Amino acid sequence: MASSSIRPSLSSFNKFPSFSSRNLSLRLSLFHLRNGVRQIPHNFGLKASRLLRHDSRCMRLMSSGSMSPYATQENALDWVKQDKRRMLHVVYRVGDLDKSIKFYTECLGMKVLRKRDMTEERYTNAFLGYGPEDAHFAIELTYNYGIETYDIGTGFGHFGVALDDIPRVVDIVKAKGGIITREPGPIKGGNSTIAVIEDPDGYKLELLERAPSPEPLCKVMLRVGDLDRSIKFYEKAVGMELLRTQDDPESKRTVAIMGYGPEEKNTVLELTYNYGVRKYDKGDAYVQIAIGTDDVYKTAEAIKLAGGKITREAGPVPGYSTKITSCVDPDGWKTVFVDNHDFHKEVE
């Protein structure tokens, strides 16, 4: 089916709204608005008067196109849970694209999936990963012409890569002059082996030893200032599921694993809260996570209803047919939602 830029309605969220005082006040609002009347019946009551004022505001929002007639947070959340969502890729900036590609392909065994050179805008994107983008998570390296260094900040944590032979990978990194920040060894309190390395720009990558994984690019870790607040945002606005939490009093931190399916088979988002730390410097290196959705317009409305902040209204990217919308979480971490149909056409 051909993609369309016509904005659909969220009225399908609630096809048969129940008859209530709120529905009554909405109908009265519609009646008075159609007839240019703003009088409230004397016997309507204080509570109903407040509802009428509220629904009059809703009608103004509806007429401006910023919300649909029967969109409610509950119905929007139901739609979000049914939406076909998947983490598509993570975007970050690098200072030497060729050097970065060489590191990820030769040390970690990734493949270059595609490149996009935007000479007019003066940047190049390279997409790398372990399998086709229509079924696997990928990294999107962005090189801006002439910019060689970026500030990673203190908020970004690391990327997780699941491999079946970590010592061998670490030896390759060492042989090529790479940085090892944690030698291979058992994870605290468990038997799994992990190691931590750095790429040429200083991004940390946590290597997790696993049997061959269906999703080797398995994790993005970001630090947040209020874990409960962040969990609520990613559940309601982004539609992720809280897979598990883990508190480590000795290290004074708690982590929450969020995602769209079991972490053994899907890429997940790891939110880390360090006791007492409320704010982080996000720097200018890490950019965003991209997530697929069946409808960017409904996604944007659901984010608004969940109290999220939209940074780009839903619609096609100028010069492209791909439709997107974007938002930021309570800590300022950005997420972009990409129309599934358009994305599949883009990576064909």
Side-chain angles (χ1 to χ4, degrees), residues 325-337:
T325 190
S326 63
C327 68
V328 291
D329 76 357
D331 292 273
W333 298 116
K334 186 179 175 184
T335 300
V336 61
F337 292 87

Side-chain angles (χ1 to χ4, degrees), residues 303-343:
I303 291 168
K304 292 175 186 176
L305 288 165
K309 180 182 178 183
I310 295 292
T311 55
R312 189 191 189 284
E313 292 293 341
V317 177
Y320 296 89
S321 60
T322 303
K323 296 181 288 295
I324 68 169
T325 190
S326 63
C327 68
V328 291
D329 76 357
D331 292 273
W333 298 116
K334 186 179 175 184
T335 300
V336 61
F337 292 87
V338 184
D339 180 274
N340 282 327
H341 178 72
D342 295 344
F343 178 73

Side-chain angles (χ1 to χ4, degrees), residues 38 74 211:
R38 285 296 295 121
E74 183 180 353

